[in-house]
Amino acid sequence: MLPEIQATVRQPAVRNMLKALYFQFSIGVVPMYAVTFIGYWAYGSSTPTYLLNGVGGPVWVKAAANMSAFLQAVIALHIFASPTYEYLDTKFGVTGSSLKWKNIVFRLIARGGYLIVSTLVSALLPFLGDFETLTGALSTFPLTFILANHMYLVAKKHKLSSMQRFWHWLNVGFFGLMSLGATIAGIRLIALDSKEYHVFADV
């Protein structure tokens, strides 16, 4: 996400954004997939939903890892909630400087309330990661990979070579299958864990 944001700072923004996207979806995905496949190779399928519950080592390392995971979750929550925040600002007429006292109070209540409710739901459902798997399968995969490739195909259909069209359709098909597999896995995990845990369980 940082290369995308930085790409808009200097002109030409569109060309820089394309470079950032090419980087993100080529070299940028290597660490993500490396962690996934190496982690599965190292730990197998018996790992807990929250991986840090199943690792050992010095307490300070685990504490730092948990703090990093917490901060990443808060940042990601705010990023993905940005459209909701924008809707609330528009709905309730929040205009002008973001440093105005009225705007600060409104945003503190609205966004703080959103975080409080999200935290409460997370504590209520100890297997919330299963729901995140399901919602990711139904929203993140389609919006990030499938829709983007399909929109590009529709917008550029007469300007793409057969190789480019094949590549984008391959992405649509591959991530469609990934989305389907993740949806089935998410439903299965919810069904299994809902029998094992109770609300507000201390896991």
Side-chain angles (χ1 to χ4, degrees):
M1 199 163 288
L2 285 175
E4 290 181 36
I5 295 169
Q6 291 170 345
T8 61
V9 173
R10 63 185 177 84
Q11 297 295 328
V14 173
R15 190 180 304 165
N16 294 332
M17 178 67 90
L18 284 173
K19 289 179 183 177
L21 288 170
Y22 292 146
F23 172 81
Q24 177 181 337
F25 288 104
S26 56
I27 298 169
V29 299
V30 171
M32 183 176 72
Y33 284 118
V35 167
T36 301
F37 291 112
I38 292 172
Y40 186 81
W41 168 78
Y43 297 103
S45 60
S46 60
T47 56
T49 303
Y50 185 57
L51 186 60
L52 293 175
N53 285 342
V55 297
V59 174
W60 70 270
V61 172
K62 291 183 70 175
N66 277 291
M67 285 299 297
S68 299
F70 171 75
L71 290 174
Q72 190 271 341
V74 170
I75 292 167
L77 189 67
H78 277 299
I79 289 171
F80 284 104
S82 294
T84 304
Y85 296 156
E86 187 64 31
Y87 169 77
L88 289 172
D89 286 355
T90 305
K91 176 79 174 174
F92 293 98
V94 178
T95 56
S97 171
S98 58
L99 297 178
K100 284 171 61 177
W101 180 246
K102 176 187 171 185
N103 294 346
I104 291 173
V105 171
F106 174 81
R107 287 176 174 155
L108 188 64
I109 293 170
R111 299 177 188 195
Y114 178 74
L115 279 176
I116 290 168
V117 170
S118 300
T119 304
L120 181 66
V121 172
S122 299
L124 176 69
L125 301 171
F127 48 95
L128 186 67
D130 302 347
F131 288 95
E132 290 177 354
T133 300
L134 182 61
T135 55
L138 296 173
S139 61
T140 306
F141 269 126
L143 291 175
T144 305
F145 299 107
I146 300 171
L147 183 64
N149 278 284
H150 191 266
M151 287 173 66
Y152 192 79
L153 280 164
V154 171
K156 301 277 189 176
K157 59 183 173 182
H158 299 302
K159 299 178 182 178
L160 297 176
S161 67
S162 57
M163 190 65 188
Q164 288 174 316
R165 281 196 299 272
F166 171 76
W167 170 250
H168 289 290
W169 278 117
L170 181 67
N171 278 313
V172 170
F174 174 74
F175 287 109
L177 290 174
M178 292 283 284
S179 178
L180 179 63
T183 300
I184 294 169
I187 293 170
R188 178 180 176 274
L189 286 170
I190 291 169
L192 292 174
D193 287 343
S194 61
K195 296 175 184 176
E196 183 177 349
Y197 294 115
H198 57 83
V199 295
F200 291 113
D202 183 10
V203 294

